Amino acid sequence: MPKSEKVEVLRGVKALHLDLSNLKSPPGFRQDFGAKLQKQFSDILRGAGIKVVSKEALAQIPGQPVLNVYFSFSDPEELCDYTYSVFASLSQDVLLARDLRIKVAAGVWSFSTGSSARDHKGNEADAILAVAAAFVRDHQRVNSH
């Protein structure tokens, strides 16, 4: 079996689990930063036909895809060199080609951006929502009919 293009891992993904509610609010944002982004991010995915399911419902989804979003920021000693970064990884259950009896959760798609990214415009929330846009772009690339 030949290797697939990296984005092929998104073929047939119709639902996933995502939880941004515990993202720490960066300076200048309200405490509901994560909850607000959860709704916006989920709306973007739903608009592209991708359901966001609860952790409990995830067991019923083939491959059990989970989109993890990691957000970090720093301003060491408040010296005005504030930076932030976003890394996202979609994990799914996969079978090892060398032994199909072995099934593991593995990161199969990823995206990163942040304040130092060449193409990033906007603030911290915009950087996180850029993950949704990248995911939808790649998802549509392999799932368009």
Side-chain angles (χ1 to χ4, degrees):
M1 176 184 291
K3 276 195 174 178
S4 297
E5 278 189 62
K6 186 77 171 164
V7 295
E8 285 292 326
V9 297
L10 301 180
R11 185 174 301 283
V13 173
K14 296 179 177 152
L16 56 80
H17 175 68
L18 166 75
D19 184 2
L20 303 178
S21 62
N22 292 324
L23 287 181
K24 184 177 176 186
S25 300
F29 285 85
R30 296 176 13 179
Q31 292 302 325
D32 66 347
F33 179 74
K36 184 177 176 186
L37 281 172
Q38 173 77 27
K39 180 178 180 343
Q40 291 174 300
F41 203 113
S42 297
D43 288 347
I44 291 168
L45 294 181
R46 273 193 290 276
I50 305 162
K51 289 175 56 177
V52 176
V53 301
S54 68
K55 190 140 183 104
E56 296 75 29
L58 182 62
Q60 305 306 314
I61 306 298
Q64 298 186 2
V66 176
L67 185 58
N68 293 297
V69 178
Y70 305 96
F71 171 66
S72 63
F73 56 89
S74 66
D75 185 7
E77 301 174 22
E78 298 180 22
L79 297 175
C80 298
D81 56 350
Y82 177 79
T83 61
Y84 55 89
S85 63
V86 179
F87 175 74
S89 175
L90 179 75
S91 297
Q92 294 188 74
D93 288 346
V94 299
L95 300 176
L96 292 183
R98 68 173 169 77
D99 188 341
L100 296 178
R101 297 171 300 167
I102 300 173
K103 179 171 75 170
V104 296
V108 296
W109 177 91
S110 62
F111 179 80
S112 62
T113 191
S115 56
S116 61
R118 287 179 303 160
D119 60 343
H120 173 61
K121 293 178 177 71
N123 62 20
E124 296 90 332
D126 296 321
I128 292 168
L129 293 176
V131 172
F135 188 87
V136 166
R137 177 199 66 221
D138 288 351
H139 185 272
Q140 288 177 339
R141 185 172 152 204
V142 295
N143 288 290
S144 61
H145 303 294

